[in-house]
Amino acid sequence: MEQQTNTQTPKKDEIDALEIIILLYRKFKSLALGIIFILKAILIFSLRKVPHLSLCVMVGAIVGIAFYLLAPKIYRSEAIIRSNDLASSIVVDNIKKLSSSFRGEDKQDLSRLLNISESDTKKLHSLKVFYGLVSSTAGGNDLGLPAFYVNTDKIDTVSNVITKYIKIVADVLDEDVYPKLMPGLLHFLNSNAFGKELNTVRVELLKSQIAHVDRGIEILLQQQAVLATQKEKNNNISSLPFQLELNSQKNEVIQLQESIDGLHSRKMALEQELGIFSQPIIVVTDFSKSYTLAKKLSIYMILGAAAAFTLGLIVLALRENRKRIINALYDKNDEKP
């Protein structure tokens, strides 16, 4: 009896699960059919009311143009900076916190942070920051230039590597503020005490490395001069031991020259790092003078036309079915005790 009960229980569970799946399928099917029916009804009704809806779309587009002309113009430009000491995530977070104060009424603090006038801070609208990424599988370059930029905190760090480069997109109400914005951002970012301390240590280390490479080059040049003198003395001796020593000296001279060339290359790379990236934050490309409008006329027209179409569709549908709606309301009231 127990075996029979145990064998029947799994079958019952399988039947219950199958019934639930069938029920969900029927519900989903009825929902999909209902949505399709509504869309068909809207399409047929819209085709019947094409003249009225076309007029609504035209009026909506005209209203969109009016809003475009009356709304304040927002200009957009972008710049790229490089963080030489702080992690890109820290710099991005600092810029996001700064951008959040753009929408506040009190501009005194923002004016102090950017070291610009309060009248100029009122012309700032928003800042967006983008991480510079390179593919982890692709070969890098000497300066670590990014392959692309992303504006998200959820970065795939498995297939991508965050670089030191950061793109800033600035929206402003007056394009004349752009020449003041970048110096203001540098003032804000470079005033980070921790970043300053890191940069001082890094610069001192670079100078120390350059001095160390110079000493290495000087020592190798002295050894090269000694070998050249010995080689000149042995050139007139034709015995076999001296010839073998001469060949050994030639090989050593070649190795010394290769070492000297390698140290010179290392020195040039260090001097490039020190010369170009001596500040905590540097500007790679400044905000361009070829500004673009953040919100174009076409967007206003499309939004106005879409809103007018939707509103016109609702009004026409209510107007055509007003008798049914009124009768349904009266019938509902009559049913009340």
Side-chain angles (χ1 to χ4, degrees), residues 21 49 80 82 120 145 169 198 207 220 247 313 326:
I21 294 172
K49 302 295 182 179
I80 296 174
R82 186 183 193 268
D120 286 330
L145 294 172
V169 177
L198 283 178
K207 291 179 179 178
L220 291 178
N247 291 335
L313 189 65
I326 292 171

Side-chain angles (χ1 to χ4, degrees), residues 143 287 299 309:
L143 297 178
F287 291 111
I299 296 175
F309 177 85

Side-chain angles (χ1 to χ4, degrees), residues 79-82 84 182-183 186 276 281-287:
I80 296 174
I81 61 174
R82 186 183 193 268
N84 299 322
M182 181 52 73
L186 288 179
I276 300 175
I281 304 287
I282 63 164
V283 180
V284 180
T285 58
D286 204 344
F287 291 111

Side-chain angles (χ1 to χ4, degrees), residues 143-190:
L143 297 178
L145 294 172
F148 54 96
Y149 293 88
V150 294
N151 180 24
T152 177
D153 294 328
K154 297 178 181 179
I155 299 172
D156 182 9
T157 54
V158 176
S159 56
N160 297 302
V161 178
I162 299 175
T163 68
K164 297 181 177 182
Y165 293 85
I166 299 166
K167 183 166 72 171
I168 304 173
V169 177
D171 290 354
V172 300
L173 301 174
D174 185 353
E175 66 270 26
D176 291 335
V177 79
Y178 279 123
K180 303 174 185 178
L181 180 57
M182 181 52 73
L185 287 173
L186 288 179
H187 173 79
F188 168 71
L189 295 173
N190 285 331

Side-chain angles (χ1 to χ4, degrees), residues 98-165:
L98 179 70
S99 179
S100 63
S101 62
F102 281 20
R103 293 179 286 274
E105 294 296 329
D106 186 11
K107 301 296 183 181
Q108 290 183 354
D109 192 43
L110 183 60
S111 174
R112 178 184 58 82
L113 291 173
L114 292 175
N115 195 31
I116 60 177
S117 65
E118 289 187 38
S119 60
D120 286 330
T121 59
K122 293 177 181 178
K123 301 174 183 177
L124 304 176
H125 185 265
S126 67
L127 287 179
K128 292 181 181 178
V129 281
F130 297 78
Y131 288 99
L133 302 181
V134 292
S135 175
S136 57
T137 57
N141 50 70
D142 294 338
L143 297 178
L145 294 172
F148 54 96
Y149 293 88
V150 294
N151 180 24
T152 177
D153 294 328
K154 297 178 181 179
I155 299 172
D156 182 9
T157 54
V158 176
S159 56
N160 297 302
V161 178
I162 299 175
T163 68
K164 297 181 177 182
Y165 293 85

Side-chain angles (χ1 to χ4, degrees), residues 83-91 94 164 189 192 194-195 198 280-281:
S83 176
N84 299 322
D85 301 291
L86 292 175
S88 296
S89 58
I90 297 176
V91 178
N94 288 337
K164 297 181 177 182
L189 295 173
N192 184 287
F194 182 60
L198 283 178
I281 304 287

Side-chain angles (χ1 to χ4, degrees), residues 254-273:
I254 293 172
Q255 291 175 359
L256 279 173
Q257 188 59 51
E258 289 176 349
S259 299
I260 291 170
D261 292 341
L263 287 177
H264 273 297
S265 299
R266 174 64 177 159
K267 181 182 177 182
M268 290 173 63
L270 290 170
E271 288 177 339
Q272 182 188 44
E273 177 80 13

